[in-house]
């Protein structure tokens, strides 16, 4: 079977010019990226809406590199995500994201160009598509692609395309793909007028950080983009060949990231509150998240976390108020809608719960939302709706699916 596929499904890599397996056509590639881009963003923190100018800046730098890439006609998009995890990723079709947690570690625009150029190559060379095809071969073409979901609070509950997008964004690249993205990303930097030496510096920084100086990096960027001494050597060799020198943009980068850096203490307080909450110290977590809110009161993420702390303390009225606040600030964010709906159900506000859970599922479907929508339908004596919701939740796995199957069986006996 594999031999037949190899003979009938080959194409030329648009970046390297080498023959490669091609089971997924370009139209499918573009559709996949477009469909999964928004839900994948949301599973990784959502957009960093506090400073829209920062996203415009990242987009401007990204487009400079995209224009000199081997696939300049891809519908590239660039977004900054509201996550402290230092990471960046690319979905098929040029859908690229960089976390604010990585931007705070960079020193100038040339280093940003290195990150974005690297991700552009992943998209242009169809690395994600190649990984999908390998998964398809391993699983004989079934839907499961063999990639692990991210280790976040909704892992295992996310369903459909959002789960696939998260898998693609967070699956580890092989060393061959990383070296290829480094190599051509450096060439793109040079062509766009940036100093390619920044790519070498970046890898040197990442290699040192991965050796234990900052463990958070290992869990973030390095989990998907493993650094190595070989990458540093190969990058240095290429820069020696093509010559260093070019635009660095340190002053511009400092100016463009000023709001982000000013907000950093608030996000650090939030992250500490998250850590305390995960350890079960809800009172200390509440104090920390209140500090974050005082420092940056227009950040929806902070109210969402405080709402979750109030949930754990069974203070549902306070939790509901905080989730209302988070939703009012970022109404598209599935997690805020989901928590708002679950809390409304605890308060027996069925209409509010149904609206929020439905809106959450429109962006990122989750098994818990389908399960609770089934419960709401039962309370409203809408048996057919309940059966449909429970059937959907039962497609997942674990405790949620088991509860859904039990409730489905009770309705259909």
């Amino acid at each position: 079977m594999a031999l037949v596929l190899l003979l009938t499904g080959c194409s030329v890599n648009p970046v390297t010019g080498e023959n490669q397996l091609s089971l997924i056509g370009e139209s499918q590639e573009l559709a996949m990226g477009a469909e999964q881009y928004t839900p994948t963003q949301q599973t990784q923190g959502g957009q960093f809406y506090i400073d829209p100018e920062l996203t415009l800046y990242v987009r401007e730098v990204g487009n400079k590199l995209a224009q000199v890439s081997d696939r300049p006609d891809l519908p590239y998009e660039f977004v900054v995500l509201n996550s402290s995890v230092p990471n960046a990723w690319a979905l098929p079709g040029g859908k690229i994201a960089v976390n604010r947690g990585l931007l705070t570690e960079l020193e100038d625009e040339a280093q940003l160009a290195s990150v974005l150029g690297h991700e552009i190559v992943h998209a242009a060379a169809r690395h994600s598509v190649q990984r999908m095809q390998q998964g398809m071969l391993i699983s004989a073409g079934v839907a499961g692609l063999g990639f692990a979901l991210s280790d976040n609070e909704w892992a295992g509950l996310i369903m459909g395309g959002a789960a696939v997008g998260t898998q693609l964004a967070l699956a580890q690249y092989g060393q061959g793909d990383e070296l290829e993205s480094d190599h051509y990303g450096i060439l793109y930097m040079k062509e766009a007028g940036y100093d390619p030496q920044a790519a070498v510096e970046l890898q040197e920084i990442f290699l040192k950080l991965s050796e234990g100086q900052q463990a958070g990096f290992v869990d973030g960027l390095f989990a998907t983009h493993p650094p190595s001494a070989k990458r540093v050597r190969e990058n240095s060799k290429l820069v020696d060949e093509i010559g260093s020198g070019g635009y660095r943009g340190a002053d511009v980068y400092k100016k463009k990231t000023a709001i982000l850096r000013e907000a950093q203490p608030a996000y650090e307080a939030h992250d500490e509150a998250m850590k305390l909450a995960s350890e079960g110290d809800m009172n200390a977590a509440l104090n920390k998240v209140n500090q974050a809110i005082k420092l940056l009161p227009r950040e929806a993420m902070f109210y969402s976390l405080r709402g979750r702390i109030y949930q754990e303390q069974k203070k549902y009225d306070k939790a509901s108020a905080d989730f209302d606040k988070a939703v009012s600030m970022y109404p598209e964010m599935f997690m805020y809608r989901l928590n708002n709906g679950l809390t409304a159900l605890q308060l027996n506000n069925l209409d509010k719960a149904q609206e929020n859970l439905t809106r959450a599922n429109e962006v990122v479907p989750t098994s818990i939302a389908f399960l609770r929508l089934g419960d709401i339908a039962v309370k409203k004596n809408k048996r057919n709706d309940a059966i449909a919701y429970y059937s959907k939740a039962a497609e997942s796995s674990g405790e949620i699916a088991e509860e859904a199957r039990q409730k489905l069986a009770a309705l259909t006996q």
Side-chain angles (χ1 to χ4, degrees):
M1 177 181 173
L3 178 60
V4 171
L5 289 171
L6 286 169
L7 291 174
T8 60
C10 287
S11 68
V12 175
N13 185 303
V15 174
T16 67
E18 298 174 351
N19 289 331
Q20 64 181 19
L21 182 64
S22 181
L23 303 178
I24 298 173
E26 184 171 331
S27 61
Q28 292 174 283
E29 173 190 8
L30 300 183
M32 192 185 310
E35 178 184 359
Q36 295 168 358
Y37 193 38
T38 295
T40 304
Q41 291 175 36
Q42 294 223 349
T43 65
Q44 305 304 305
Q47 294 189 15
F48 182 59
Y49 71 88
I50 293 294
D51 184 11
E53 293 296 321
L54 181 59
T55 291
L56 292 177
Y57 172 60
V58 169
R59 185 180 304 158
E60 178 185 326
V61 176
N63 284 332
K64 288 179 185 177
L65 295 153
Q67 289 170 9
V68 301
S69 74
D70 291 282
R71 295 179 76 187
D73 296 331
L74 280 179
Y76 289 99
E77 293 186 61
F78 302 89
V79 68
V80 178
L81 298 186
N82 194 10
S83 171
S84 297
V85 177
N87 202 4
W89 48 260
L91 292 183
K95 307 306 183 187
I96 292 167
V98 56
N99 292 357
R100 60 170 170 76
L102 180 55
L103 294 178
T104 56
E105 299 294 334
L106 306 181
E107 298 173 354
D108 56 35
E109 188 174 308
Q111 291 185 357
L112 172 61
S114 175
V115 170
L116 297 178
H118 182 97
E119 297 303 328
I120 286 170
V121 178
H122 279 315
R126 307 182 85 230
H127 287 160
S128 292
V129 172
Q130 289 297 306
R131 286 185 297 162
M132 285 189 68
Q133 291 173 163
Q134 291 164 7
M136 289 168 68
L137 286 176
I138 292 169
S139 60
V142 298
L145 303 179
F147 301 132
L149 272 174
S150 64
D151 183 20
N152 63 44
E153 63 183 310
W154 301 114
L157 302 181
I158 299 170
M159 303 177 69
V164 175
T166 302
Q167 291 168 349
L168 288 175
L170 299 181
Q172 184 175 3
Y173 288 103
Q175 187 177 74
D177 286 349
E178 290 294 84
L179 289 171
E180 191 169 284
S181 290
D182 285 348
H183 181 93
Y184 290 97
I186 287 172
L187 296 182
Y188 295 170
M189 288 179 67
K190 182 72 172 179
E191 180 68 18
Y194 290 103
D195 183 0
Q197 184 63 32
V200 178
E201 297 167 0
L202 195 62
Q203 286 303 316
E204 290 174 339
I205 292 170
F206 287 171
L207 186 59
K208 289 179 181 178
L209 290 170
S210 72
E211 291 170 351
Q213 295 183 27
Q214 290 192 21
F217 269 75
V218 179
D219 299 330
L221 180 68
F222 298 154
T224 54
H225 299 75
S228 67
K230 182 176 181 180
R231 290 179 66 182
V232 174
R233 291 195 302 271
E234 293 295 324
N235 290 358
S236 297
K237 180 181 177 181
L238 178 58
V239 172
D240 288 342
E241 291 174 1
I242 66 175
S244 60
Y247 184 68
R248 296 297 306 226
D251 291 342
V252 171
Y253 188 79
K254 184 177 181 180
K255 179 180 178 181
K256 294 292 186 179
T257 58
I259 293 176
L260 173 61
R261 295 180 190 279
E262 288 171 8
Q264 190 62 15
Y267 289 108
E268 289 173 356
H270 167 271
D271 295 346
E272 180 62 23
M274 286 276 289
K275 181 175 181 292
L276 289 166
S278 70
E279 295 169 350
D281 192 345
M282 294 302 164
N283 290 329
L286 187 60
N287 288 334
K288 271 295 176 183
V289 77
N290 282 334
Q291 289 179 26
I293 290 172
K294 185 175 181 180
L295 289 169
L296 191 61
R298 57 198 179 99
E299 175 53 81
M301 177 189 290
F302 300 164
Y303 296 97
S304 177
L305 175 56
R306 191 169 69 178
R308 286 164 55 199
I309 294 170
Y310 284 140
Q311 272 184 328
E312 289 294 324
Q313 296 177 331
K314 302 190 184 307
K315 298 176 181 178
Y316 297 117
D317 287 326
K318 289 186 174 183
S320 179
D322 273 340
F323 292 135
D324 283 345
K325 184 81 169 178
V327 167
S328 71
M329 292 177 163
Y330 192 173
E332 302 83 9
M333 185 64 178
F334 94 99
M335 188 181 297
Y336 307 157
R337 289 279 185 184
L338 180 56
N339 278 317
N340 206 14
L342 295 175
T343 303
L345 185 56
Q346 288 281 353
L347 295 170
N348 206 35
N349 189 337
L350 301 186
D351 289 340
K352 180 181 178 181
Q354 183 175 11
E355 178 189 359
N356 279 280
L357 293 175
T358 300
R359 292 282 296 274
N361 266 357
E362 289 172 355
V363 184
V364 178
T366 59
S367 56
I368 185 66
F370 283 117
L371 178 65
R372 298 309 171 215
L373 283 167
D375 293 345
I376 293 168
V378 169
K379 288 176 179 287
K380 290 187 172 184
N381 295 315
K382 295 182 177 181
R383 180 177 178 274
N384 290 338
D385 288 349
I387 289 173
Y389 287 130
Y390 287 148
S391 296
K392 194 67 178 177
E395 294 175 6
S396 62
S397 60
E399 295 179 2
I400 298 296
E402 181 59 30
E403 183 178 342
R405 283 191 284 267
Q406 290 176 2
K407 290 181 174 179
L408 187 60
L411 281 176
T412 55
Q413 284 178 350

